[in-house]
């Protein structure tokens, strides 16, 4: 199995962050036919025609996506956020600056990768030479152009909603970290990943030699990718060298990731009413008022009023994270939802 060996200093420097580039790569993979999370399928289908039209006019793009996404592989130069995310983040891992500025900085890092290093990265996953369309000196530039098209044409309009959900996921993870330590925060973060103790993090079940992270940094980035990935950034932007930062991209556990979990149990609807029950059921992970409005389709005033009732009943609490106030269930709220779901299961059985 794939093991990362890391000491307490690496964990102390580890953090969560957001990356428009990571999500753009995840969307590109799903557009190309790779698996999606339940909440993504309809959205991806709505943009598939535009994506196919884009590929039809660009042989490079066809060769690139076929080479960049072989089974069990993602090239490091494509799936690792840039150092722009270094220290300019708020408490929820949100980088300073607009999404456009952040994404532009991430694309500059891709464009700066030497073409030979990018080709070598792709060839590793292909286990052979890259197609002829990818052998030019402009490989990084044209890859960046394709990612920029996916961002502007498909992902950018939906980014604010995703950002809210990713921030809520990070708050939930950091709550696990504060209450249960790294074992609680890392176990089950992505398929095949778990904390083994004694400085050993299993990152996948592949037959790979252990890798000592040394003094490299460690970044955790939520995404709508069903499995996520791991990546390493080599100092200097590619080629040979020692990694100075590793990234774990993991599936977001929020509403976008699994909307079926948010369906309110029938017993809860009868007890609280349909709207209030839906809001409480959707708080499996911390969510803002605007996130609940977007997810439920109910008006801001209605959602706010129901949240006040749930707060008064001590079924939910709230906390500020950066620019947002996030609501989350209390232990009593969790217990009520859990019991109601069990009641539904018994009825169905």
């Amino acid at each position: 199995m794939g093991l990362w060996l890391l000491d307490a200093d690496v964990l102390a420097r580890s953090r969560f962050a957001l990356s428009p580039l990571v999500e753009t790569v995840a969307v590109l993979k799903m557009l190309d036919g790779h698996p999606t999370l339940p909440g993504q399928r309809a959205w991806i289908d709505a943009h598939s025609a535009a994506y196919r039209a884009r590929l039809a006019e660009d042989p490079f793009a066809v060769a690139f996506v076929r080479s960049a996404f072989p089974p069990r592989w993602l090239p490091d130069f494509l799936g690792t956020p840039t150092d722009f995310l270094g220290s300019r983040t708020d408490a929820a891992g949100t980088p300073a600056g607009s999404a456009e500025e952040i994404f532009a900085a991430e694309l500059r890092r891709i464009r700066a990768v030497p073409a030979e290093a990018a080709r070598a990265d792709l060839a590793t996953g292909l286990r052979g030479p890259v197609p002829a369309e990818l052998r030019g000196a402009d490989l990084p530039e044209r890859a960046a152009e394709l990612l920029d098209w996916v961002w502007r044409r498909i992902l950018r309009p939906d980014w604010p909603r995703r950002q809210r959900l990713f921030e809520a996921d990070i708050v939930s993870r950091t709550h696990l970290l504060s209450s249960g330590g790294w074992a609680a925060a890392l176990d089950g973060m992505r398929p095949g990943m778990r904390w083994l103790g004694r400085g050993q993090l299993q990152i996948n079940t592949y037959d790979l030699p252990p890798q000592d992270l040394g003094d490299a940094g460690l970044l955790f980035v939520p995404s709508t990718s069903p499995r996520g990935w791991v990546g390493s950034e080599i100092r200097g932007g590619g080629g040979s060298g020692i990694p100075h930062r590793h990234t774990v991209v993991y599936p977001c556990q929020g509403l976008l990731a699994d909307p079926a979990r948010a369906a309110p149990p029938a017993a809860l609807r009868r007890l609280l009413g349909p709207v209030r029950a839906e809001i409480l059921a959707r708080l499996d992970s911390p969510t803002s008022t605007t996130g609940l409005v977007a997810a439920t389709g109910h008006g801001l005033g209605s959602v706010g009023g129901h949240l006040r009732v749930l707060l008064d009943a001590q079924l939910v609490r709230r906390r500020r994270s950066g620019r947002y106030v996030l609501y989350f269930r209390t232990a009593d709220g969790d217990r009520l939802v859990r019991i109601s779901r069990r009641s539904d299961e018994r009825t169905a059985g």
Side-chain angles (χ1 to χ4, degrees), residues 19-106:
S19 167
L21 172 65
V22 161
E23 185 62 6
T24 300
V25 172
V27 168
L28 178 58
K29 288 189 67 176
M30 289 184 278
L31 285 167
D32 199 53
H34 290 254
T36 66
L37 291 166
Q40 286 288 88
R41 186 66 266 165
W43 186 83
I44 290 293
D45 289 344
H47 294 284
S48 292
Y51 172 71
R52 289 194 297 270
R54 171 69 171 77
L55 260 61
E57 63 186 28
D58 187 356
F60 171 88
V62 175
F64 180 76
V65 295
R66 297 296 184 268
S67 302
F69 306 134
R72 301 171 64 175
W73 177 260
L74 186 76
D76 285 330
F77 82 92
L78 199 61
T80 306
T82 180
D83 276 335
F84 184 78
L85 300 179
S87 59
R88 302 175 62 200
T89 60
D90 65 20
T94 307
S98 70
E100 296 289 355
E101 291 171 335
I102 297 161
F103 186 68
E106 295 186 300

Side-chain angles (χ1 to χ4, degrees), residues 1-171:
M1 58 186 168
L3 283 180
W4 280 354
L5 308 179
L6 52 158
D7 59 23
D9 288 339
V10 172
L11 288 177
R13 292 192 300 270
S14 300
R15 60 188 178 83
F16 292 85
L18 305 186
S19 167
L21 172 65
V22 161
E23 185 62 6
T24 300
V25 172
V27 168
L28 178 58
K29 288 189 67 176
M30 289 184 278
L31 285 167
D32 199 53
H34 290 254
T36 66
L37 291 166
Q40 286 288 88
R41 186 66 266 165
W43 186 83
I44 290 293
D45 289 344
H47 294 284
S48 292
Y51 172 71
R52 289 194 297 270
R54 171 69 171 77
L55 260 61
E57 63 186 28
D58 187 356
F60 171 88
V62 175
F64 180 76
V65 295
R66 297 296 184 268
S67 302
F69 306 134
R72 301 171 64 175
W73 177 260
L74 186 76
D76 285 330
F77 82 92
L78 199 61
T80 306
T82 180
D83 276 335
F84 184 78
L85 300 179
S87 59
R88 302 175 62 200
T89 60
D90 65 20
T94 307
S98 70
E100 296 289 355
E101 291 171 335
I102 297 161
F103 186 68
E106 295 186 300
L107 285 190
R108 284 196 295 272
R109 197 263 306 163
I110 288 181
R111 290 187 172 103
V113 174
E116 285 303 320
R119 265 190 292 276
D121 212 353
L122 293 169
T124 300
L126 292 172
R127 299 184 180 182
V130 300
E133 293 86 349
L134 307 183
R135 295 175 188 169
D138 59 351
L139 167 59
E141 174 63 34
R142 298 192 65 180
E145 288 177 0
L146 177 60
L147 292 167
D148 188 48
W149 181 89
V150 174
W151 167 255
R152 288 183 294 101
R153 174 67 174 77
I154 296 177
L155 178 57
R156 180 64 183 92
D158 199 43
W159 176 254
R161 181 169 69 107
R162 292 168 188 252
Q163 178 174 322
R164 289 193 297 268
L165 297 170
F166 295 156
E167 288 172 345
D169 180 278
I170 289 173
V171 170

Side-chain angles (χ1 to χ4, degrees), residues 247-272:
T247 300
V248 175
V249 176
Y250 65 90
C252 173
Q253 66 178 359
L255 308 178
L256 198 80
D258 191 1
R261 291 180 60 195
L268 195 64
R269 292 198 302 270
R270 291 193 297 269
L271 178 66
L272 300 179

